[in-house]
Amino acid sequence: MANTSQIQLSSLDFDSIKQNLITYLQSQSQFQDYNFQGSALNILLDVLSYNTFYNAFYMNMIANEMFLDTAIMRSSVVSQAKALGYTSRSAASARATLNVTITRAVSDSTTSLYLPRFTQFAAQSLNGKSFSFYTTDDSPYVSNVSVGTANTFTFNYLNVNEGTPVTKQFGVNNTTNPSQTFDLVDSNIDLSTLKVTVQNSLTSPVLTIYNLAQDATQVSANSNVYYVEEGSNLNYLIYFGDGVLGRKLPDQSIITVSYLVTNSDLANGLGTFFLQTSILNGSTSNVSTSSASAGGAQQESINSIKFSAPKSFIAQNRIVTKNDYITQINKNYPYFDAVAVWGGENQSPPIFGKVYISAKPKNGYTVTLDQQNYLINDILKPLSVLTVTASYVPADYDFLNFNVGFKYDPTQTNLSQNQLSTLVANSIATFCNTNLNTFNSSFAYSKFLGAIDGTDPSIQSSSATIYLQKQFYPLLGQTSSYNLKFGTPLHQGITNDRLYSSPYFESPDSAGNSQQCYLEETPFGFGAIGSITIESPGYNYTSAPTIQIQGDGLGANAYPIIVNGQINSVVVDVSGNNYTTAAITLIGGGGTGGVLVPVISGSKGTIRSYYFDTNNIKQILNPNVGTIDYLNGIININNLYITNVGGLQEVLSIFAQPYNSNFASNNEIILTYNQNDSTALSITPSMIST
Amino acid sequence: MALDTTKVPSNITRIFTDFDVSFTPHPVTGDINMVTGTNSVVQSLMNLVQLNSYEKPFHPEISSGIRSLLFEQMDSIVAASLKKEIVILIENFEPRVQIIDVDVSPDYVNNQFNVTIEFYVLNNTLPITISAYLQRVR
């Protein structure tokens, strides 16, 4: 039986607290009506229990908010992160790169021109919403260029950010605001666009630019720096030095801040821009897009702060390990689905002192040159170790193409063939989204089929042929070289399982007529020594005998490994080529009886181009466009001349089957499946025969 | 109707003791006054009938809808509803009481309901009658 003379204190909910009080009251005899809901004593217990409950909740909440792991309120998380030296990432505005040409009026004689900060450009999204983009810095001056009677000013690679410009002024008053903290009030500020200038007094002509203090160890008493931290309501506060860590602002100074308030990710993906600000009277402008708007992102979420703050603390604002790189990139540029980092020492051949970075954008496949430079020069370089240079390697995509067939039992489903096919397509998309689309991912054939079989109970069996698709942009009108790395061994195709290309490309034949051409493979007739099998290991070998390979080919070399006087294994260090027959003789080694048999196979092949003539007969255009290395999965195209890629497309694709049905990607290669490509998946359903 | 002693729960054999909700001190000891026996039950009953929803923390079900009914049209239907609410409330939450009768009658002249509750306290064979009037104050 419960000890009623001691009150239980561990309960946290109202009913338990009240029950504990009632249990305790049972030990006294003066007041007996504690159990009846209408009694005065019971109502007193209600008040007491409610008060206890309220305090318990409040204390529990305070305790939770005191730790980064359990805090729920944003202000608490931000405050905890602040103790780790971490400022939450602000909203990021979408950024585009433009080439702007301004043609001055004939009567105008301006000879040099610049675009000031907050020069406005307009763009419109597909759903009709308008966005304004602004330059965030003054551009350099450019001089006029005469083209006939026209005079133009050209601004190349001009960066513009989406948002609404805001300019505010604050007066410094050390009596009413001794901490010199100023609230920027707006939410959705892109802090990277924040500019702070200080005027010592209203009449002072000098404007001093203040910069964000990045590293307290670099700040002296006279540094013109400001600090920034998140306020309690998604806003940001700026404050200034105290005369020791940064210059203290004199009384009556005027602070001017300007920044962009952004629509963050809503303005991503816009490609057409117009100049809105009038630059020169009577001038006309032409804006072309170098890279479409990208990189817009919401203010950092609570969960992201909880995740990133401890990691940022571990890295101590330095980039040393692989994870430091990934953390810094994700923190400063939250635009990537996946980031891969590897050291040059893992390259083949090793390149020391280099770090390679590759990334996959969230809604696309290409990271623009501007983004790459920003990543390397602005984010990584200031924090990385002096002797280590980072370099960006564009992500290389293996697009997976599937020919899927499945058999289903129509008595077990009321879905039509088309409906089942749609469900299977969805399953494949889900499977690929879960397992692929990132660096160092692997494709497991059995799990892939399992995903198809698991789509619907009526599906009895399935099969799939997988092609890896490599895309490249051929240079037109010149002989060019291309190196395509599949990153996995490739299958040697002989008949209809050959490598192929799509769409057709145009190339002139020997008579100079343009033909619609395609690429295909021709393996080296299985002409290399792929391996050597041991028919008899022999005996009494005291040293390794020399292996002499005799045949109609050239260059093969191998050596045996002897264990306990017998041939234990054979290593083929050079496979040679052009072998159709081969035999092995063992020389020396002291033993007898060893019999080895060479196995001829091919590890390389050539790529050739062909077309169909007017009689629809296949004609080889160029028998050696390039080579294919099946073992390493590399295609080198070095003799390809293309005048046009079919159907006004720019991309040429090469399709090859992987050697193994289970394969993985490494380094910069990403296995991906493009759901938007209708040719990437073909499904053939069939009913089981009853 | 006599008290049905078979319905008397075994734990209701003690003397009921509660403190006086008027919080008046005892003139001699200065302690808070106590109410005992049937007085304690009557005080509890009056408290219970006047409870509104959510006045008991976390237990909105321990209440009667009396106050809202007072703002309805004054007629015999509302009087019947009031009676029903009172009976249900007492039966659910005051196990020490066995109701003999509840009478609610509208007093149109004074704009109030006259309520009479007749009941047994379960360890006492004498019936008790309490009368009150219910009137909206605003």
Side-chain angles (χ1 to χ4, degrees), chain A residues 14-15 18 29-44 46-47 50 53, chain B residues 14-19 21 32 34 40 43-44 47-48 56-59 62 93-96:
Chain A
F14 177 83
D15 285 332
K18 189 173 172 185
S29 57
Q30 197 168 8
F31 296 110
Q32 294 288 321
D33 287 4
Y34 40 76
N35 251 338
F36 304 111
Q37 296 294 347
S39 70
L41 189 61
N42 198 285
I43 287 169
L44 196 66
D46 278 340
V47 175
Y50 186 75
F53 170 75
Chain B
R14 58 185 180 233
I15 295 170
F16 306 124
T17 49
D18 198 0
F19 61 82
V21 283
I32 193 165
M34 288 175 69
S40 158
Q43 178 184 285
S44 169
N47 269 342
L48 203 56
K56 277 267 184 196
F58 303 100
H59 288 285
I62 305 175
F93 299 111
E94 190 43 275
R96 295 172 292 183

Side-chain angles (χ1 to χ4, degrees), chain B residues 57-113:
Chain B
F58 303 100
H59 288 285
E61 78 280 6
I62 305 175
S63 66
S64 69
I66 285 175
R67 195 156 293 195
S68 62
L69 283 171
L70 294 181
F71 287 83
E72 297 293 329
Q73 200 73 268
M74 183 179 264
D75 55 22
S76 55
I77 295 173
V78 174
S81 298
L82 274 173
K83 177 181 173 178
K84 192 177 154 202
E85 289 282 348
I86 291 168
V87 169
I88 289 172
L89 188 69
I90 293 171
E91 284 181 347
N92 280 342
F93 299 111
E94 190 43 275
R96 295 172 292 183
V97 165
Q98 183 190 327
I99 296 172
I100 301 167
D101 189 28
V102 175
D103 178 56
V104 179
S105 54
D107 176 356
Y108 297 105
V109 176
N110 296 314
N111 202 26
Q112 65 187 30
F113 287 99

Side-chain angles (χ1 to χ4, degrees), chain A residues 427-447:
Chain A
S427 292
I428 291 171
T430 309
F431 175 86
C432 292
N433 282 336
T434 313
N435 297 292
L436 308 176
N437 279 336
T438 185
F439 295 97
N440 297 319
S441 56
S442 58
F443 178 88
Y445 186 69
S446 59
K447 286 184 180 171

Side-chain angles (χ1 to χ4, degrees), chain A residues 23-299:
Chain A
T23 307
Y24 176 66
L25 284 176
Q26 285 172 1
S27 65
Q28 54 84 47
S29 57
Q30 197 168 8
F31 296 110
Q32 294 288 321
D33 287 4
Y34 40 76
N35 251 338
F36 304 111
Q37 296 294 347
S39 70
L41 189 61
N42 198 285
I43 287 169
L44 196 66
L45 287 181
D46 278 340
V47 175
L48 193 54
S49 305
Y50 186 75
N51 189 48
T52 309
F53 170 75
Y54 185 92
N55 277 316
F57 173 81
Y58 192 62
M59 293 303 293
N60 201 22
M61 193 182 78
I62 288 175
N64 278 341
E65 294 298 318
M66 283 168 68
F67 298 96
L68 193 60
D69 289 333
T70 48
I72 288 172
M73 291 167 64
R74 187 178 176 96
S75 55
S76 307
V77 174
V78 165
S79 179
Q80 296 292 337
K82 201 191 297 177
L84 297 173
Y86 184 83
T87 307
S88 62
R89 180 179 46 72
S90 73
S93 52
R95 190 187 222 206
T97 309
L98 309 177
N99 297 324
V100 181
T101 306
I102 293 170
T103 307
R104 74 181 193 200
V106 176
S107 57
D108 199 336
S109 60
T110 307
T111 55
S112 96
L113 187 66
Y114 81 104
L115 297 180
R117 174 170 157 88
F118 292 154
T119 299
Q120 187 182 4
F121 293 82
Q124 204 168 47
S125 68
L126 284 177
N127 59 14
K129 189 164 186 213
S130 296
F131 293 96
S132 292
F133 284 71
Y134 295 86
T135 54
T136 55
D137 288 299
D138 293 344
S139 76
Y141 274 94
V142 296
S143 301
N144 65 318
V145 175
S146 301
V147 183
T149 54
N151 273 279
T152 59
F153 303 89
T154 304
F155 301 89
N156 284 327
Y157 302 111
L158 193 69
N159 289 322
V160 292
N161 289 47
E162 184 276 330
T164 308
V166 176
T167 302
K168 283 182 177 160
Q169 286 197 322
F170 302 102
V172 176
N173 187 326
N174 285 334
T175 313
T176 57
N177 183 7
S179 63
Q180 296 193 346
T181 302
F182 304 94
D183 188 352
L184 301 182
V185 182
D186 297 303
S187 51
N188 279 328
I189 296 174
D190 180 355
L191 281 184
S192 69
T193 65
L194 177 63
K195 289 257 189 290
V196 179
T197 54
V198 176
Q199 205 177 348
N200 277 350
S201 71
L202 206 54
T203 53
S204 167
V206 182
L207 281 177
T208 311
I209 295 174
Y210 276 58
N211 296 310
L212 176 65
Q214 300 272 16
D215 185 347
T217 60
Q218 303 298 314
V219 175
S220 69
N222 294 321
S223 301
N224 293 330
V225 293
Y226 68 89
Y227 299 86
V228 67
E229 66 182 41
E230 190 178 323
S232 57
N233 194 22
L234 298 175
N235 56 329
Y236 284 94
L237 307 171
I238 60 168
Y239 56 98
F240 293 84
D242 56 358
V244 179
L245 284 174
R247 188 186 296 280
K248 185 176 170 70
L249 298 188
D251 215 2
Q252 308 305 319
S253 301
I254 310 286
I255 302 163
T256 306
V257 293
S258 60
Y259 49 82
L260 286 178
V261 174
T262 172
N263 287 301
S264 55
D265 51 352
L266 292 180
N268 285 342
L270 307 183
T272 310
F273 295 83
F274 302 97
L275 180 62
Q276 292 291 96
T277 307
S278 173
I279 302 296
L280 289 173
N281 275 341
S283 65
T284 57
S285 64
N286 178 44
V287 181
S288 68
T289 306
S290 170
S291 64
S293 66
Q298 305 269 359
Q299 192 171 18

Side-chain angles (χ1 to χ4, degrees), chain B residues 8-25:
Chain B
V8 178
S10 59
N11 63 340
I12 304 186
T13 52
R14 58 185 180 233
I15 295 170
F16 306 124
T17 49
D18 198 0
F19 61 82
D20 186 355
V21 283
S22 64
F23 283 98
T24 47

